Amino acid sequence: MDITELILDDHREQRRLFAILEQIDPKDVDVLAAIWERLAAFLELHAQAEEEIFYPELLRVGISARRTRRVEDETLDAIGDHNDIRDAVGEVARHKVGSPEWFAAVAAANTANGDHMAEEEREGLTDFRRLAGLGERHRLAVEFAAYEARHYAGVRPVDKDPEGYVEAVEEQSATWSKGSLGIGPMR
């Protein structure tokens, strides 16, 4: 088991749920609402799990490998993307389910999420596979799976300041810059 694979599995499920929404008759509002509710909750749960588990570790291994600027930029961008996705999900809620405006808002959420996933798959996940060993990726996969299982009913969406997020994670371990990295997630 590898955290990067679990994240990719979540991405595939998100794409599948968006595709299902595109194929349902606009008059089937109960079905549309049920699938959207599931997808909206899943998008937030996935973002929170990444913010709690994946991105702190990407920063840690990147700093250890002297790729600080790159992993900081990737993390800043990802947290900003998560905020954009949260905003897009919030916009969907402003429209009547099944209306043209609702479908347009769902499409905008799909675009924001798709752009984020593509970038994350190209950059953050690739870098993490290069910088973190399989044992570390396995340990984090267990933690990631447990986090999502514990919060299966959803989590409360909260926008984060990307720069404040990176600063807080980096401050959790002042020893990073001194080369004395601990093993395990920074909490």
Side-chain angles (χ1 to χ4, degrees):
M1 188 164 44
D2 179 332
I3 190 169
T4 64
E5 287 302 316
L6 290 184
I7 290 171
L8 289 170
D9 289 344
D10 280 5
H11 289 182
R12 285 186 279 277
E13 179 64 5
Q14 291 165 21
R15 288 179 176 107
R16 185 181 78 83
L17 290 169
F18 274 114
I20 288 170
L21 286 171
E22 294 168 353
Q23 299 172 56
I24 296 172
D25 187 313
K27 294 176 192 142
D28 288 337
V29 293
D30 290 341
V31 173
L32 287 170
I35 292 171
W36 174 252
E37 256 182 58
R38 163 70 178 116
L39 177 54
F42 185 47
L43 290 169
E44 184 56 37
L45 175 57
H46 176 80
Q48 291 280 3
E50 285 184 343
E51 291 168 2
E52 289 288 322
I53 298 159
F54 177 71
Y55 281 102
E57 292 300 315
L58 175 63
L59 284 165
R60 185 184 66 79
V61 298
I63 290 168
S64 177
R66 301 190 196 300
R67 295 185 183 174
T68 301
R69 189 80 224 128
R70 180 174 170 98
V71 295
E72 283 179 344
D73 288 346
E74 289 172 9
T75 303
L76 289 166
D77 189 52
I79 303 306
D81 287 351
H82 288 171
N83 291 338
D84 292 344
I85 295 163
R86 289 177 181 112
D87 294 345
V89 167
E91 183 60 28
V92 173
R94 294 181 198 9
H95 303 284
K96 182 179 175 201
V97 175
S99 69
E101 298 81 11
W102 185 85
F103 275 104
V106 168
N110 190 5
T111 298
N113 191 58
D115 290 348
H116 166 69
M117 290 187 303
E119 191 171 35
E120 185 173 71
E121 290 166 8
R122 253 187 345 266
E123 296 173 2
L125 295 178
T126 298
D127 283 345
F128 199 71
R129 281 188 295 271
R130 289 179 179 152
L131 298 172
L134 188 54
E136 178 73 357
R137 295 192 323 259
H138 173 80
R139 183 185 64 73
L140 292 170
V142 171
E143 191 174 340
F144 193 86
Y147 184 92
E148 287 190 332
R150 283 187 198 105
H151 301 285
Y152 71 92
V155 293
R156 188 173 65 84
V158 178
D159 275 2
K160 294 172 181 68
D161 170 45
E163 290 179 14
Y165 174 88
V166 168
E167 288 173 13
V169 169
E170 289 177 346
E171 286 174 8
Q172 287 177 359
S173 178
T175 60
W176 285 358
S177 62
K178 296 175 183 152
S180 175
L181 293 173
I183 296 176
M186 304 295 145
R187 300 281 182 265

